[in-house]
Amino acid sequence: MYIDTHTHFNSEEFSENLPLFIANAKDAGVDKMIIVGWDVESSERAVKIANQYSFLYAAVGFHPENLNGLAEDAFAQIKKIASDQKVVAIGEIGLDYYWTKDEDARAKQRKYFIRQIKIANELNKPIIVHSRDASEDTFEIINEYRPTKNGVMHCYSGSPEMALNYVKLGMFISLAGPVTFKNARVPKDVAAIVPLKSLLIETDCPYLAPHPFRGKLNESKYLPYIAEVIAEIKNIDVEDIAEWTTRNAERLFGI
Ligand SMILES: [Zn+2]
C-alpha cells in the first residue's frame, strides 16, 4: 500500500475522466491520496473532490506563484476552506525564487509564507512546503516560525545537508519523479541520506512523471516507480519503503 502525499487531481488535466485516474491509482496500490490546492479556487476544488471519496484528502493554501491580486480577505477565505473535515494540511505554501527574481515580490512571498504557517498553527495542521531556489530563506522561516504540527518539504530539491537540517526540526522530506531521472545526482543523494522515519513519497501529478514516463502526463498510479528507485538506492525491499512512507504519512496527516 502507498500514499501519494501530493497530487493535483484538482487541475484541469484531470477534469475529464477523474474517476478513471483515481481508479487506476487504486489498482496500482495507491490507497490514499492528498489533493493539494494552490489558490482559493483550486483549494475549494480539492475539498470538493476529497469529499466524494473516503480515501482522498485535501490541502489548501496559496502557492508562492499565486499571490497576485489576492483579495483583502484571502487568509480568511483559506481559513474557512480549511475548516472542512477532509482538509489535512495547509499547502502548498512557500518560496519560489526560480520564477520570481524581483526583490519586492520575494518579500511578499516570505510574508504570505509566514502568515500561512501561523494559520496552520492556529488550526493545528501540518504544512506542505514548496521551495525552489530559495533554500536558505525557506529554512530560516521554518526554523523561526516552527510549524507546531510539522510538515513536509514537498518534491524536495535542496541539498542532502539541508535535508538533514529539516529532519532535525521534525520536518519530513518528500521525494517525487526527479529521484528516478537518470542524470539526477542530488535527489539520489538525498534519498540515500534521509532516514526512513522522515521520508515521504509523492507524484506531484500532473507534473514531473517518473522515468520511464518522463515528459508524459503524470498520474498517481506511477507512485510505485518512485518507491522502487528509492528502495534500490537504500538497498532495501520496496515493501519497506511502502510501509515506512505509508506509516509516516498517516502519522503526519492523521489519515
Ligand atoms: Zn504541487
Side-chain angles (χ1 to χ4, degrees):
M1 159 180 179
Y2 292 100
I3 298 181
D4 191 349
T5 58
H6 200 108
T7 80
H8 295 294
F9 273 143
N10 47 348
S11 78
E12 218 187 299
E13 283 86 344
F14 300 116
S15 57
E16 258 176 73
N17 298 325
L18 180 63
L20 187 66
F21 286 111
I22 292 170
N24 287 345
K26 274 283 208 186
D27 285 348
V30 182
D31 272 349
K32 298 177 191 172
M33 292 152 252
I34 298 174
I35 307 170
V36 182
W38 57 87
D39 60 10
V40 166
E41 202 195 332
S42 60
S43 294
E44 281 175 337
R45 208 155 50 234
V47 170
K48 194 177 161 201
I49 298 167
N51 272 290
Q52 290 162 7
Y53 298 84
S54 62
F55 51 87
L56 296 186
Y57 302 87
V60 305
F62 295 109
H63 184 286
E65 288 302 304
N66 295 91
L67 305 180
N68 285 335
L70 283 187
E72 265 305 297
D73 62 345
F75 294 116
Q77 276 178 291
I78 280 297
K79 258 190 181 172
K80 194 172 161 226
I81 303 168
S83 68
D84 188 281
Q85 52 156 5
K86 293 307 284 284
V87 174
V88 296
I90 299 299
E92 57 189 292
I93 63 176
L95 306 175
D96 194 319
Y97 293 174
Y98 178 84
W99 292 110
T100 299
K101 311 287 182 203
D102 176 67
E103 191 38 52
D104 285 349
R106 287 180 173 186
K108 187 177 181 182
Q109 289 189 355
R110 291 192 289 274
K111 188 177 134 194
Y112 274 71
F113 184 28
I114 292 166
R115 189 67 201 274
Q116 292 184 95
I117 293 174
K118 289 179 176 171
I119 289 174
N121 286 349
E122 276 171 47
L123 300 177
N124 258 318
K125 292 184 196 299
I127 56 173
I128 295 175
V129 181
H130 170 105
S131 176
R132 193 166 180 201
D133 283 3
S135 193
E136 299 295 323
D137 284 359
T138 307
F139 182 78
E140 254 175 53
I141 287 173
I142 292 176
N143 191 32
E144 186 175 347
Y145 294 91
R146 294 294 168 101
T148 50
K149 287 287 170 181
N150 290 321
V152 52
M153 303 306 298
H154 118 80
C155 194
Y156 181 77
S157 60
S159 70
E161 297 75 26
M162 189 57 100
L164 293 185
N165 289 338
Y166 282 118
V167 166
K168 268 185 220 145
L169 292 187
M171 296 288 287
F172 288 81
I173 302 293
S174 181
L175 293 174
V179 76
T180 69
F181 298 168
K182 292 282 172 216
N183 52 358
R185 191 66 250 136
V186 179
K188 292 186 199 293
D189 290 345
V190 170
I193 207 169
V194 169
L196 287 166
K197 67 165 179 47
S198 303
L199 187 68
L200 294 174
I201 51 174
E202 62 173 273
T203 59
D204 198 16
C205 64
Y207 316 107
L208 294 168
H211 176 80
F213 309 101
R214 194 173 179 180
K216 299 208 175 95
L217 177 79
N218 195 9
E219 297 181 42
S220 227
K221 73 175 181 186
Y222 295 146
L223 189 64
Y225 289 85
I226 294 163
E228 287 279 359
V229 170
I230 299 173
E232 267 169 45
I233 293 168
K234 284 191 165 311
N235 201 16
I236 57 175
D237 288 345
V238 69
E239 286 77 21
D240 290 331
I241 296 292
E243 201 183 314
W244 273 100
T245 55
T246 296
R247 214 189 297 155
N248 291 342
E250 287 176 340
R251 199 175 69 213
L252 176 63
F253 297 110
I255 58 179

